[in-house]
Amino acid sequence: MSTPKTPAGRRVGRPRAQERPAGGPEPRDEVLLVAGELFTTHGYTATSTRSIAERAGLRQASLYHYFDGKEAILAELLEGTVRPSLEVAAALVSRTEASPEARLWALCHSDAALLCGGPHNLGALYLLPEVGTERFADFHRLRGELKSSYAGLLAATAPGADLAVEELALRADLLFGLTESVILIRRADPDRDPGALAGATADAALRVAGVSPRSLARLRREGRELLAARL
């Protein structure tokens, strides 16, 4: 007897409560999209795996084929806000022919644009008390790596090279905190233009780094060229 063929896009053992439209997101991605919306609009504590599954068109039991619970979904969402910026940071660190100041501007702009872009303010999930637990150690490790990239580029700038170790660490914390502050700005003003906010944040970051205001226009242009060239 021949084995029945499974329709494209469906997985044996993962029944759906509703059929997924052709060309739509995969079930796992759909769960993340729905959870991101519910966590940021209704609250993490108030959102159940049942409500996520129902909105994603899955049976609740089927959701556990993709994630072992609500914390795993939150962890994936959080890590997804950092991984793209880490890739940009790695590319910028390797572009040693460009000035470190322009590369720092580009990193701040790219990171801020990621945090204040997208349909939901996922960065606001950083503020959840649950995120401080060991379950989210991988997120904190990735975020620490990203902050180290900020510190490395800052140290390579002319102003940064003159800083003592403790002052450099403090300045890097300020840069990183400034970039992530777009999360709070977006929460207070969801209609704020993401591009304008990212540009203003990157400009302010260079001022915090100690770059001369007279150099800002040139460095902004060089930073935009780095981003436009996709690094």
Side-chain angles (χ1 to χ4, degrees):
M1 181 182 295
S2 62
T3 303
K5 294 183 178 180
T6 302
R10 295 289 302 279
R11 300 183 183 185
V12 175
R14 292 163 172 77
R16 294 178 60 82
Q18 303 172 20
E19 288 298 322
R20 180 170 57 87
E26 291 298 316
R28 188 178 190 279
D29 296 330
E30 207 165 356
V31 167
L32 290 171
L33 287 170
V34 166
E37 178 184 1
L38 293 177
F39 289 166
T40 54
T41 57
H42 295 282
Y44 175 73
T45 303
T47 301
S48 66
T49 54
R50 180 182 295 277
S51 62
I52 295 170
E54 288 176 352
R55 285 285 297 274
L58 290 169
R59 295 184 177 91
Q60 186 178 14
S62 300
L63 181 147
Y64 291 99
H65 286 290
Y66 304 101
F67 298 96
D68 63 15
K70 195 167 69 167
E71 283 190 339
I73 298 172
L74 176 59
E76 182 63 28
L77 288 170
L78 291 170
E79 291 167 27
T81 66
V82 181
R83 288 195 188 99
S85 291
L86 266 178
E87 293 175 4
V88 171
L92 286 168
V93 168
S94 69
R95 290 292 300 270
T96 54
E97 79 283 0
S99 72
E101 290 85 357
R103 288 182 284 156
L104 182 59
W105 187 96
L107 176 57
C108 292
H109 186 284
S110 177
D111 199 11
L114 174 70
L115 290 171
C116 63
H120 309 297
N121 189 11
L122 296 181
L125 301 176
Y126 291 11
L127 307 176
L128 291 171
E130 292 83 355
V131 177
T133 65
E134 181 63 26
R135 177 64 182 80
F136 300 95
D138 285 344
F139 162 66
H140 292 294
R141 175 182 56 79
L142 293 172
R143 190 162 168 255
E145 290 177 11
L146 181 58
K147 186 163 72 169
S148 293
S149 296
Y150 275 78
L153 287 174
L154 173 62
T157 65
D162 292 333
L163 295 176
V165 174
E166 290 185 359
E167 178 63 23
L168 179 65
L170 175 58
R171 199 74 63 90
D173 284 343
L174 289 171
L175 281 174
F176 198 58
L178 171 64
T179 303
E180 290 192 342
S181 71
V182 300
I183 295 167
L184 298 177
I185 295 173
R186 183 182 182 188
R187 186 166 68 175
D189 185 2
D191 296 326
R192 186 74 63 91
D193 177 58
L197 183 53
T201 301
D203 286 355
L206 289 195
R207 296 296 302 275
V208 171
V211 172
S212 168
R214 292 176 297 177
S215 305
L216 185 56
R218 173 179 57 82
L219 295 171
R220 184 190 304 125
R221 183 176 64 254
E222 292 175 6
R224 290 191 183 280
E225 289 171 355
L226 283 169
L227 294 175
R230 297 185 181 275
L231 311 178

